[in-house]
Structure formats: structure tokens, C-alpha cells
Amino acid sequence: MALLQVEQVSKTFGMGGKQPVHALSEVSLEVEEGETFGLVGESGSGKSTLVKCIVRLGFPDSGTILYDGIDVPKARGADLRRLRREVQMVFQDPHASLNPRMTVEELVGEGILVHRLEPSAAARRERVVELLSLVGLSAGDMQRHPHAFSGGQRQRIAIARALAVRPRLLVCDEPVSALDVSVQAQVINLLMDMQAKLGLTMLFIAHNLAVVGHLCQRTAVIRTGQIVEHGPTAEVFGKPQHPYTRELLDAVPIPDPKATGWLRSGPNSGDER
């Protein structure tokens, strides 16, 4: 059974007497344990609305969302506590998602404290040091505040915070789109390393198809709240069946105009290196 199952999920927003917006229309997808699943589409396509429903920052009007057999919208008690620990999110903007009044130690250690994962303050502090080292930061950064770091470093802190509670599913909502191009690759490589080391399952949401092609084994394409195409990433990007997918791919810049294909260096490119 898939770790995450989304079946026939719909969500409509009222517009104060205006025509309602159908953000999601009978969306279905499955994420297998251990894989990185990509969800791509332009701004306003419904990606973030779906993510909010998956992590309980919003609720669907209809349909079902199951995480490891738990009904996500209806979860209560022990199921809800497990859901909140095992499903973690990395948001788009690390500047907005990190409390500026908290130190790095407090930010990363908060989940450990809330979920009672370490028996003492000393053990919690040791765990924070371990997590910071894992994402390329040091113990010397623990008493600093988010404003003292670059955008890429703040996103590393956000990733450490998400990993602190030992999640099984990491939901990444446009995690590099707010970063400079020069640091995007560093964060993507970090996520790939973390998945390999920790056995994470990842749902990766993006509008940057080059990033998704490099990172994800399977991909779904969403347009105006509907999944229009899905399958192995190499097939979806290599032989797109839907006109919208072809439009997205045509918009991807190719650094080398002599290249025969734009998907060159990712794990799904089929290159023999």
C-alpha cells in the first residue's frame, strides 16, 4: 500500500458573492514509501491547496486523504499525534517560516520537545547539534537568530527543523523558488542526501521542471485543479501526452542548444555516466 493516498479530492473557495473558484477537482495520486514524487504546474494550478490539505493546514470538501492508513482530515488522538510527527513540511520562504524571535537551537529543538523525543535538555541539545551538522551548519550557529543567515542557510535550518522529529514523509512546497539560483542546487543536493541517509519519502512541489526532473522518480502534472498527466518522470518529460505538459516543457530553457534533450544530469535522464 502507498504511504500517501489522495483519492478524488476536491476543494472550492467562495469569492464573496463572486463566481466560486474550484481549486481542486477530483485529484488523485499515490506516493510510494521511499520515493520522491513530483507535483508540477504553474502558479494557481492548485499545488499549494493540495499540499495544505495533505498536512492539515486546510481540509478538502470531498474525497479522501490517507497517510499510512490514517484518514488525514478525520484524524484524532494518537493518530493525529503520529501524523503531526511523521509528516513534516518545508515551506517555500524560509524567511517567513522561521520565527525571527527564536534562536536556531529553539527552532530546531521545538519539535523534539513537543513530541518528547529526548529525555533531557542535554540530550535535546545534542540532537540539535547532530541535525545542524547533518545540514552543513555547526554548533556555533545555535544561539544565532534567522536574520543572521543567508536564504540558503535559513532553508537548511528549516530542513533540520523538519527532520528533528524523524519524519517518514517530507512535503516540500517550492523549497528553492525563493532562493538565488546559485544556492538552489545546494539545497536540492542536500534534500537528495537526506533522503538517501534517512530513507525519507518526499512529495516535492514545484513549477521548475528541471529541478523535478533531477530529483523525482515519478511526477504528476496539475492544471487548474486537475491532474492531467502522471507517471515515471522520464516518460512524462520525455514523451509528454498532454498539450499542457508539452507547453511546460517547451518553456524550460536549455543551457546547451546542441543538446539532444534537456534532462541531462538527473537520476531520471537515462544517461550512462
Side-chain angles (χ1 to χ4, degrees), residues 19-155:
Q19 189 73 16
V21 175
H22 300 287
L24 299 173
S25 300
E26 299 184 344
V27 170
S28 297
L29 57 85
E30 292 188 350
V31 180
E32 302 291 338
E33 187 157 16
E35 78 169 333
T36 300
F37 188 99
L39 181 65
V40 300
E42 61 191 343
S43 297
S45 61
K47 303 187 304 295
S48 293
T49 299
L50 179 59
V51 167
K52 288 177 181 178
C53 291
I54 290 172
V55 300
R56 280 181 60 103
L57 292 177
F59 294 87
D61 297 331
S62 61
T64 59
I65 301 174
L66 299 177
Y67 165 77
D68 197 25
I70 296 174
D71 189 320
V72 173
K74 297 179 181 179
R76 299 291 185 275
D79 281 346
L80 181 56
R81 288 192 294 273
R82 183 161 78 90
L83 187 69
R84 284 175 169 165
R85 184 181 70 80
E86 294 186 8
V87 180
Q88 290 292 308
M89 187 165 178
V90 178
F91 294 89
Q92 176 179 359
D93 184 358
H95 179 74
S97 65
L98 298 177
N99 188 331
R101 296 176 180 269
M102 298 175 70
T103 65
V104 170
E105 181 178 4
E106 292 169 335
L107 287 164
V108 178
E110 184 177 31
I112 302 172
L113 176 64
V114 168
H115 290 282
R116 302 177 182 177
L117 298 179
E118 295 294 350
S120 67
R124 187 166 63 250
R125 183 182 179 87
E126 184 177 339
R127 173 66 175 155
V128 171
V129 172
E130 177 187 340
L131 287 159
L132 291 178
S133 176
L134 199 63
V135 299
L137 298 173
S138 70
D141 295 317
M142 290 176 59
Q143 299 309 314
R144 300 168 71 191
H145 291 79
H147 71 268
F149 297 89
S150 67
Q153 289 173 323
R154 283 197 292 263
Q155 198 63 296

Side-chain angles (χ1 to χ4, degrees), residues 175-192:
V176 298
S177 63
L179 305 178
D180 292 339
V181 174
S182 59
V183 298
Q184 286 185 9
Q186 298 175 21
V187 174
I188 292 300
N189 288 333
L190 172 62
L191 288 169
M192 294 176 69

